[in-house]
Amino acid sequence: MDRAAVIVAIDGPSGTGKSSTSKAVAAQLGLSYLDTGAQYRAITWWMVSNGIDITDPSAIAAVAGKPEIVSGTDPENPTITVDGTDVGGPIRTQEVTSKVSAVSAVPEVRALITELQRSIAASAATGIVVEGRDIGTTVLPGADLKIFLTASPEARAARRSGELKGADVDSTREALLKRDAADSSRKTSPLAKADDAVEVDTSELTLQQVIECVVTLVKEKRDAK
């Protein structure tokens, strides 16, 4: 039986388990997967690599259309290339992490990346899980299911410092809160919960519990189509 294709938007701040949850849900349900944050990291990596002044929005806007970003949507092996170069590792460096908010706040960058994200979602034959910060509100406001993951700053810092081996929890918490403030206050597509999103607080849940919760929500939505 052909199942109805579902588009699932999963938003939320850093450290809530978005990526791990989204990949696992997509793999379990046979859906494509898109990490939109990786696309913003990719364009930031390109800007840094090409010596673009990250503090100058007009300089960023002027070259935003130059790099060709291609995202692989296999949840078991999500890939990302810029002009044919695999940047899966380089985009996770601290240098890129510290500059991605500034680059992604530029309206021209967001317009280009949003178009790319919409085209990927539209071409996903079996459906797709798209994770980010403005998917349910801006990128795919017509998504079949919108989920907003939250967690306490303490829980998020503990998780993120666990991922970044040896990182200090307090400084990680401060960095997360700083990123939240930047993402939530930017003029173009700020981090926000869509009015019709289901909120899931992951503070006290294991990753497996979060995955099971989201899988149930997606199945219910798919069966209702």
Side-chain angles (χ1 to χ4, degrees):
M1 183 179 107
D2 285 343
R3 290 196 178 277
V6 282
I7 293 180
V8 183
I10 299 185
D11 289 308
S14 302
T16 52
K18 281 199 313 290
S19 294
S20 302
T21 299
S22 300
K23 278 187 277 199
V25 169
Q28 203 168 315
L29 296 177
L31 305 175
S32 296
Y33 160 76
L34 179 61
D35 174 0
T36 63
Q39 295 175 317
Y40 284 107
R41 285 175 172 273
I43 198 166
T44 301
W45 172 85
W46 185 90
M47 297 280 174
V48 171
S49 300
N50 285 276
I52 309 302
D53 183 357
I54 301 299
T55 64
D56 182 355
S58 59
I60 293 171
V63 295
K66 287 192 172 183
E68 184 191 10
I69 298 168
V70 177
S71 296
T73 57
D74 177 358
E76 307 275 9
N77 181 35
T79 56
I80 186 153
T81 63
V82 178
D83 298 330
T85 299
D86 178 359
V87 294
I91 63 172
R92 304 293 171 184
T93 62
Q94 188 52 45
E95 183 178 25
V96 170
T97 299
S98 66
K99 292 173 177 168
V100 69
S101 281
V103 173
S104 60
V106 176
E108 289 83 356
V109 169
R110 295 206 79 80
L112 283 162
I113 299 289
T114 295
E115 253 342 283
L116 176 60
Q117 291 162 0
R118 285 175 178 159
S119 68
I120 292 170
S123 62
T126 59
I128 190 168
V129 178
V130 184
E131 59 129 322
R133 286 174 170 75
D134 66 340
I135 311 307
T137 52
T138 302
V139 180
L140 300 168
D144 297 301
L145 175 64
K146 301 173 189 177
I147 295 170
F148 194 84
L149 297 185
T150 63
S152 68
E154 291 71 27
R156 292 164 55 206
R159 284 176 195 152
R160 187 47 57 91
S161 57
E163 291 166 11
L164 309 168
K165 303 289 184 268
D168 177 67
V169 175
D170 289 336
S171 58
T172 302
R173 180 177 179 275
E174 290 307 310
L176 285 171
L177 291 173
K178 189 175 175 186
R179 177 76 194 271
D180 286 356
D183 288 343
S184 302
S185 62
R186 64 171 178 247
K187 288 189 174 68
T188 308
S189 304
L191 164 68
K193 177 189 165 191
D195 292 338
D196 54 348
V198 178
E199 185 168 324
V200 179
D201 188 331
T202 69
S203 304
E204 304 295 326
L205 301 176
T206 64
L207 175 60
Q208 195 52 45
Q209 287 172 321
V210 179
I211 293 166
E212 286 169 9
C213 171
V214 175
V215 163
T216 299
L217 289 167
V218 177
K219 281 182 174 176
E220 285 174 356
K221 184 61 69 172
R222 189 161 66 178
D223 291 346
K225 286 194 82 174

Short mmCIF file of all heavy atoms in Angstrom, two decimals, residues 2 27 46 49 56 75 102 124 168 177 205 213:
data_model
loop_
_atom_site.label_atom_id
_atom_site.label_comp_id
_atom_site.label_asym_id
_atom_site.label_seq_id
_atom_site.Cartn_x
_atom_site.Cartn_y
_atom_site.Cartn_z
N ASP A 2 0.58 2.15 -0.93
CA ASP A 2 1.34 3.40 -0.96
C ASP A 2 0.88 4.29 0.18
O ASP A 2 -0.30 4.58 0.31
CB ASP A 2 1.11 4.13 -2.29
CG ASP A 2 1.88 3.46 -3.42
OD1 ASP A 2 2.79 2.69 -3.10
OD2 ASP A 2 1.54 3.70 -4.58
N ALA A 27 14.51 7.74 9.28
CA ALA A 27 15.01 6.40 8.95
C ALA A 27 13.96 5.34 9.28
O ALA A 27 13.72 4.41 8.50
CB ALA A 27 16.30 6.12 9.70
N TRP A 46 31.75 28.69 3.29
CA TRP A 46 32.19 29.24 2.00
C TRP A 46 32.61 30.70 2.16
O TRP A 46 33.63 31.13 1.60
CB TRP A 46 31.05 29.12 0.98
CG TRP A 46 31.44 29.55 -0.40
CD1 TRP A 46 31.98 28.79 -1.39
CD2 TRP A 46 31.33 30.88 -0.95
NE1 TRP A 46 32.21 29.55 -2.51
CE2 TRP A 46 31.82 30.84 -2.26
CE3 TRP A 46 30.87 32.10 -0.44
CZ2 TRP A 46 31.87 31.96 -3.09
CZ3 TRP A 46 30.91 33.22 -1.24
CH2 TRP A 46 31.40 33.15 -2.56
N SER A 49 35.95 30.77 3.97
CA SER A 49 37.01 30.24 3.09
C SER A 49 37.39 31.22 1.98
O SER A 49 38.51 31.21 1.49
CB SER A 49 36.56 28.93 2.44
OG SER A 49 36.27 27.96 3.40
N ASP A 56 30.02 42.43 7.56
CA ASP A 56 29.42 43.33 6.58
C ASP A 56 28.29 42.63 5.82
O ASP A 56 28.53 41.90 4.86
CB ASP A 56 30.51 43.79 5.59
CG ASP A 56 29.98 44.79 4.56
OD1 ASP A 56 28.76 45.05 4.55
OD2 ASP A 56 30.80 45.29 3.76
N PRO A 75 18.64 9.76 5.53
CA PRO A 75 18.83 9.95 6.97
C PRO A 75 19.95 9.09 7.56
O PRO A 75 20.53 9.44 8.59
CB PRO A 75 17.46 9.55 7.56
CG PRO A 75 16.81 8.70 6.53
CD PRO A 75 17.30 9.21 5.22
N ALA A 102 25.54 35.29 12.26
CA ALA A 102 25.70 36.56 11.52
C ALA A 102 25.37 36.37 10.04
O ALA A 102 24.68 37.19 9.43
CB ALA A 102 27.13 37.08 11.68
N ALA A 124 10.64 15.43 -2.49
CA ALA A 124 10.76 14.22 -1.68
C ALA A 124 9.53 13.33 -1.90
O ALA A 124 8.47 13.59 -1.34
CB ALA A 124 10.92 14.58 -0.20
N ASP A 168 33.18 22.75 28.67
CA ASP A 168 32.67 23.17 29.97
C ASP A 168 31.17 23.43 29.87
O ASP A 168 30.70 24.16 29.00
CB ASP A 168 33.40 24.46 30.40
CG ASP A 168 32.87 25.00 31.70
OD1 ASP A 168 33.05 24.33 32.74
OD2 ASP A 168 32.23 26.08 31.69
N LEU A 177 22.62 30.14 25.07
CA LEU A 177 21.68 31.24 25.35
C LEU A 177 21.97 32.44 24.45
O LEU A 177 21.05 33.12 23.98
CB LEU A 177 21.77 31.65 26.83
CG LEU A 177 21.22 30.61 27.81
CD1 LEU A 177 21.49 31.03 29.25
CD2 LEU A 177 19.73 30.39 27.60
N LEU A 205 13.32 13.63 29.03
CA LEU A 205 13.12 12.44 28.21
C LEU A 205 14.44 11.91 27.66
O LEU A 205 15.35 12.68 27.39
CB LEU A 205 12.20 12.76 27.03
CG LEU A 205 10.78 13.28 27.35
CD1 LEU A 205 10.05 13.62 26.06
CD2 LEU A 205 10.00 12.25 28.15
N CYS A 213 7.89 9.36 20.61
CA CYS A 213 6.83 10.36 20.65
C CYS A 213 6.59 10.96 19.27
O CYS A 213 5.44 11.05 18.80
CB CYS A 213 7.22 11.46 21.65
SG CYS A 213 6.13 12.89 21.63
#
